[in-house]
Amino acid sequence: MSSISWILEETTLPKLGFLGQGNHGYISLVRTPDGLLMAKKTSYRKYSENLEKESRILNHFNSIHFNIVRPTSPIVYDETMPLNVKVSSVYMELAPHGSLLDMIAKAGEILPEKVAGYCILQVLEGLRDLHRDGYVHCDLKAENILIFPSYTHGELCDLKLADFSLAKEPNGPNPVEPLFEGEPEYLAPEAVGPRGMISSAVDIWSLGVMVMQMLGAIITEGDRRTYFTGRLSPMVKDFLRRCIVHNPVARATAEELMSHPFVRQSIGVPPLEMLPVPSCLSNGGVQGRFF
């Protein structure tokens, strides 16, 4: 989409609403002159390297065949805001149904097990593709999983991975920024500290924590065993024990987990009323087409 005309007049795009807060920046809703609605992620210029990395990753996986958010422009933009504040921005497809965190909140903080399995299978598909190509997300949590309408027959929604500003690229250095700042429960034990080890196993630990959040479970340690409290089926507990393993080498891979009964049980497509809608879209005042 590098040839579309709005690229040259990027700063004129009207901001129609606030979509959320990201690492070192915020996400706003914008619209092009021809009516295309997009998400604009903006950060202070000093964090532009993170946005450059995110843009590289989004463009690497820019296809409808990946469970990864697609860019709507291939470049990072620099602009100067009022009071001479210098910022950088990237543009992405807009998620009309918000995030997985929004879905959990709308469901009363606990999702039905089959719905959780349906969602996690799509997250695993995204992780499989990332890990196959040598990337590690490094910031996997419910607010970074976005929900889109599905164009696949029989499916209601597609879930896609987002926010790659802390990601590790193939053969690249470990992320410099502290991982999971303020949310240490998502961080695998081997990744803690300045000499932390970052591998694809980090994402699998985070995935397990996210499943517990979706199902209202709590992890406890004792007698050299891990216990999960909450109304969990044996099948879910087995899935979690493959993710929440202190030895990263012993953790299951995304590809292995894709065949687990928890995500392969009778598909529980989320009912339409369970899908959230960002507040800036819910009142019907914003009109436009989606990417």
Side-chain angles (χ1 to χ4, degrees):
M1 298 188 65
S2 59
S3 62
I4 55 181
S5 60
W6 63 263
I7 283 183
L8 299 177
E9 300 180 18
E10 176 272 336
T11 57
T12 66
L13 299 184
K15 295 180 176 62
L16 307 177
F18 176 77
L19 294 171
Q21 196 76 23
N23 290 312
H24 311 301
Y26 61 92
I27 300 94
S28 53
L29 171 65
V30 299
R31 181 173 53 203
T32 67
D34 63 353
L36 179 64
L37 297 174
M38 301 179 297
K40 176 183 180 181
K41 182 176 181 179
T42 303
S43 297
Y44 289 121
R45 189 77 54 82
K46 64 180 180 179
Y47 299 119
S48 62
E49 287 187 9
N50 285 348
L51 284 185
E52 292 281 0
K53 176 172 62 176
E54 182 159 17
S55 180
R56 287 194 300 270
I57 294 173
L58 295 182
N59 282 288
H60 179 83
F61 292 101
N62 186 7
S63 167
I64 60 173
H65 302 296
F66 292 112
N67 288 80
I68 294 166
V69 169
R70 292 186 293 161
T72 53
S73 178
I75 63 175
V76 175
Y77 294 88
D78 293 327
E79 60 181 297
T80 301
M81 307 291 281
L83 302 179
N84 201 35
V85 176
K86 298 184 182 302
V87 299
S88 298
S89 303
V90 294
Y91 290 85
M92 299 162 284
E93 59 180 336
L94 175 67
H97 293 300
S99 71
L100 182 56
L101 185 64
D102 297 326
M103 180 191 284
I104 296 170
K106 189 172 183 180
E109 304 303 331
I110 299 178
L111 294 177
E113 182 179 301
K114 290 185 178 181
V115 171
Y118 171 89
C119 294
I120 289 300
L121 176 59
Q122 296 191 48
V123 175
L124 285 168
E125 290 171 343
L127 288 179
R128 174 201 59 195
D129 295 329
L130 273 184
H131 296 168
R132 275 181 177 175
D133 284 7
Y135 296 87
V136 185
H137 189 284
C138 293
D139 198 13
L140 190 70
K141 51 190 177 186
E143 64 197 79
N144 288 339
I145 308 299
L146 302 184
I147 306 173
F148 296 79
S150 179
Y151 298 102
T152 303
H153 178 71
E155 302 289 337
L156 182 60
C157 62
D158 290 332
L159 280 77
K160 300 185 182 184
L161 308 185
D163 199 341
F164 293 90
S165 58
L166 296 183
K168 185 179 187 302
E169 296 178 283
N171 303 314
N174 284 349
V176 175
E177 307 291 343
L179 298 184
F180 303 92
E181 195 173 59
E183 298 181 81
E185 68 274 14
Y186 277 93
L187 186 56
E190 75 276 6
V192 174
R195 297 187 179 183
M197 300 288 292
I198 305 298
S199 71
S200 58
V202 167
D203 289 341
I204 301 302
W205 177 283
S206 302
L207 180 82
V209 175
M210 188 165 64
V211 171
M212 290 191 294
Q213 179 187 10
M214 296 167 74
L215 298 176
I218 299 173
I219 184 173
T220 57
E221 303 281 348
D223 301 325
R224 298 183 179 180
R225 296 187 62 188
T226 300
Y227 299 89
F228 303 101
T229 58
R231 300 180 63 180
L232 302 180
S233 69
M235 182 168 55
V236 173
K237 289 180 180 178
D238 180 74
F239 182 91
L240 290 173
R241 290 193 178 101
R242 294 170 186 262
C243 300
I244 308 296
V245 181
H246 281 270
N247 180 359
V249 177
R251 270 175 233 150
T253 66
E255 189 132 26
E256 291 168 346
L257 290 171
M258 285 176 59
S259 62
H260 194 279
F262 167 53
V263 299
R264 288 295 181 184
Q265 60 184 315
S266 178
I267 295 299
V269 177
L272 185 60
E273 61 269 17
M274 189 177 288
L275 297 181
V277 178
S279 59
C280 57
L281 293 175
S282 60
N283 61 11
V286 176
Q287 302 295 323
R289 59 188 178 85
F290 295 101
F291 182 67

